[in-house]
Amino acid sequence: MTLQTWIAAFLTLCVFSFLYKDNPFYRFAEHLFVGAAAGYLLAVQWQNVLIPNVWTPLLHDHKLVVLIPLALGLMMLARAWDKGAGIARWSLAFYVGIYSGVAIPGYMQAQIFAQLADAAKPFAPGWGAVNSALVLVGLLTVLAYFFFSAPHKGVHGAGARVGIYFLMVAFGASFGYTVMARVSLLIARVQFLLRDWLHVLPGP
Amino acid sequence: MVRSGFVTPELDTRWFDPARLNVLIGILLFTAFLVVNIFRARAKGTLYVRPIAGLKALDEAIGRATEMGRPVLYVPGLSDMSEVGTFAAITICARLAYRVAEMGCDIDVPCYDPVVMTVLDGAVREAYSKAGKPDAFRPGCVHYVSAQQMAYVAAVNGFMLRELPAANIYMGSFYAESLLLAETGARTGAIQIAGTDKVTQLPFFVCACDYTLLGEELFAASAYLGREPIQLATVIAQDWAKALAAAAIVGALVLSALGHPALQTWLKVA
């Protein structure tokens, strides 16, 4: 049994102790986790972002255009000083503007038109038509629920009520599916403790 | 282009891709809906948006926190500025911070993304100034935790158990951490209000929180809280777009059943 296994088992038990209540062991694991993650992410940013995108192009390839994003990034740090908030806003405006511009056509294509095209497919033959009809009714009534400019009254209200039932059925199915996945994660951790650490279970 | 067995895709340098004309028309139509509704909102002063249950509870949650002398915890989701949900989370946080400043209680905003943290810090600071209490703003109330999902969850869960916030508000884009956060919050007895556009995470918030904003209610929430004409207009424009989408689906189905699949084909994106 290696030292790593003992450390992993100890930290697993520290995190599980949270089920009882907050305690120094959980706090130790929490702070270690946050600290290790910060250090790891800093190293990843340095290796995968700053060196290939700033250091190498600027110092080896002499691409001065890199100075623009570098300056925008440094301007973001100006927020650390009270008077620098206005400077940081320029970088943020650029960043938010770029992301909005990229996101809007992408959303329209991937989220709206892709779903419209799927929803408008012809009904399946035979008993499959019942399934297609259910999908269509579900879609239209859920859309009715998400209408905000009219109160949920009359026909619209009845449609919205049916829509909320469709939503709840979908949520229930999704909940069950995810809980199963979480239980399998727990089983994997318990297997690690009983097999790799305590050797109570036979090996795979 | 093939070099040494690797295939390098050719860069598409065209300004316009005719195969995506439908996307352009969709964006132009939505923009038109938006402009018309902005003019309508300005002319009328306001537009009707139906009440959303979870939002009414926000004031109750802040009031409870003020009475108990405990902070309000606002979790803005685990996404960056590329997610629409993050934009909604920032707007709602600004409204919430305004009410918190007015009522004189404390707010804590742990952040996952450093850029989102910077934007939220500015939004909360500005909200305190608008409420006439710039000195009440506590530097550090909007703070960075970690950009590692489970490290973030461990830290926020620890905060919940140690500081016992009276109200936990989760707004934005959430992933596997939603149930871990909401379950811990429920254990502390805090009033919990959540809202996310991530459909797969909604069931967990519905189970573990007192009120949940479902999907698009998150986007309507920011407009509802602000009551500003432009934001209200966006909600109404979305309703018009939804009505058009429903009509397009039914129309495409009827037309293709009659042997005219043109609309159905047009809706497909290459």
Side-chain angles (χ1 to χ4, degrees), chain A residues 18 22 26-27 30 79 96 99 107 109 113 120-122 139 145-149 152 171 175 178 182, chain B residues 20 22 48-50 82-83 87 118 122 154 161-162 176 187 203-204 214 217 239 242 249 253 264 269:
Chain A
F18 183 72
D22 185 40
Y26 175 75
R27 265 184 238 183
E30 173 198 325
R79 188 144 208 113
V96 172
Y99 262 126
Y107 266 84
Q109 183 176 332
F113 273 93
K121 276 183 183 165
L139 175 71
Y145 174 79
F146 285 109
F147 260 71
F148 296 101
S149 52
H152 285 170
F171 290 165
F175 188 87
T178 311
R182 298 289 169 90
Chain B
R20 293 182 188 172
N22 51 3
Y48 175 81
V49 173
R50 74 169 163 79
S82 64
E83 286 283 343
F87 284 92
T118 314
L161 288 188
R162 286 190 283 277
R187 272 178 65 183
F204 309 116
L214 305 175
E217 286 179 342
D239 275 8
K242 276 177 263 180
I249 291 166
L253 280 170
Q264 193 195 0
V269 181

Side-chain angles (χ1 to χ4, degrees), chain B:
Chain B
M1 189 185 297
V2 178
R3 274 188 204 144
S4 312
F6 292 100
V7 178
T8 313
E10 291 285 352
L11 188 65
D12 190 347
T13 52
R14 287 176 300 170
W15 281 85
F16 180 67
D17 180 0
R20 293 182 188 172
L21 179 67
N22 51 3
V23 175
L24 177 68
I25 291 175
I27 291 173
L28 290 177
L29 269 175
F30 186 75
T31 310
F33 291 165
L34 195 58
V35 171
V36 168
N37 279 297
I38 287 172
F39 280 113
R40 281 182 65 217
R42 280 186 181 157
K44 289 185 179 177
T46 186
L47 291 172
Y48 175 81
V49 173
R50 74 169 163 79
I52 299 168
L55 292 181
K56 288 184 179 173
L58 276 179
D59 271 347
E60 184 193 327
I62 299 168
R64 188 168 180 257
T66 312
E67 279 173 16
M68 295 171 81
R70 289 189 196 162
V72 172
L73 175 69
Y74 186 89
V75 183
L78 275 77
S79 269
D80 56 24
M81 298 300 294
S82 64
E83 286 283 343
V84 187
T86 307
F87 284 92
I90 292 165
T91 316
I92 295 170
C93 184
R95 307 284 175 213
L96 187 80
Y98 180 84
R99 293 291 294 144
V100 162
E102 272 189 336
M103 296 184 83
C105 70
D106 193 18
I107 187 168
D108 196 272
V109 188
C111 297
Y112 171 84
D113 183 84
V115 178
V116 174
M117 184 205 77
T118 314
V119 179
L120 275 168
D121 185 69
V124 173
R125 206 180 282 262
E126 198 178 314
Y128 271 78
S129 296
K130 269 188 188 171
K133 296 183 179 175
D135 295 337
F137 175 77
R138 177 172 59 84
C141 67
V142 181
H143 56 96
Y144 176 72
V145 176
S146 175
Q148 211 282 344
Q149 185 187 30
M150 290 304 156
Y152 178 87
V153 172
V156 175
N157 280 355
F159 177 85
M160 281 183 199
L161 288 188
R162 286 190 283 277
E163 303 295 327
L164 298 171
N168 299 330
I169 321 283
Y170 313 96
M171 297 282 168
S173 295
F174 289 88
Y175 304 91
E177 69 287 347
S178 60
L179 186 59
L180 300 171
L181 292 171
E183 267 296 314
T184 309
R187 272 178 65 183
T188 64
I191 183 168
Q192 300 205 102
I193 304 167
T196 183
D197 55 340
K198 298 293 173 199
V199 180
T200 48
Q201 304 307 322
L202 277 171
F204 309 116
F205 282 141
V206 170
C207 287
C209 295
D210 300 285
Y211 298 94
T212 307
L213 305 183
L214 305 175
E216 210 184 328
E217 286 179 342
L218 175 70
F219 308 130
S222 51
Y224 187 84
L225 286 170
R227 312 299 300 177
E228 286 166 8
I230 291 180
Q231 289 203 331
L232 289 171
T234 59
V235 176
I236 309 300
Q238 284 177 50
D239 275 8
W240 286 18
K242 276 177 263 180
L244 185 67
I249 291 166
V250 175
L253 280 170
V254 171
L255 284 173
S256 61
L258 296 173
H260 304 287
L263 182 55
Q264 193 195 0
T265 313
W266 188 80
L267 288 173
K268 285 182 188 160
V269 181

Side-chain angles (χ1 to χ4, degrees), chain A residues 73-88:
Chain A
L74 290 173
M75 281 161 71
M76 200 97 86
L77 298 177
R79 188 144 208 113
W81 296 273
D82 282 345
K83 289 179 182 172
I87 299 171

Side-chain angles (χ1 to χ4, degrees), chain A residues 21-71:
Chain A
K21 66 175 188 179
D22 185 40
N23 62 72
F25 289 104
Y26 175 75
R27 265 184 238 183
F28 169 71
E30 173 198 325
H31 287 94
L32 184 69
F33 197 4
V34 173
Y40 174 73
L41 289 170
L42 182 68
V44 168
Q45 291 290 321
W46 178 255
Q47 283 293 332
N48 296 354
V49 179
L50 286 171
I51 288 185
N53 296 326
V54 179
W55 188 266
T56 308
L58 195 61
L59 296 181
H60 294 278
D61 305 336
H62 305 294
K63 287 183 179 170
L64 294 180
V65 71
V66 174
L67 288 172
I68 297 171
L70 180 66

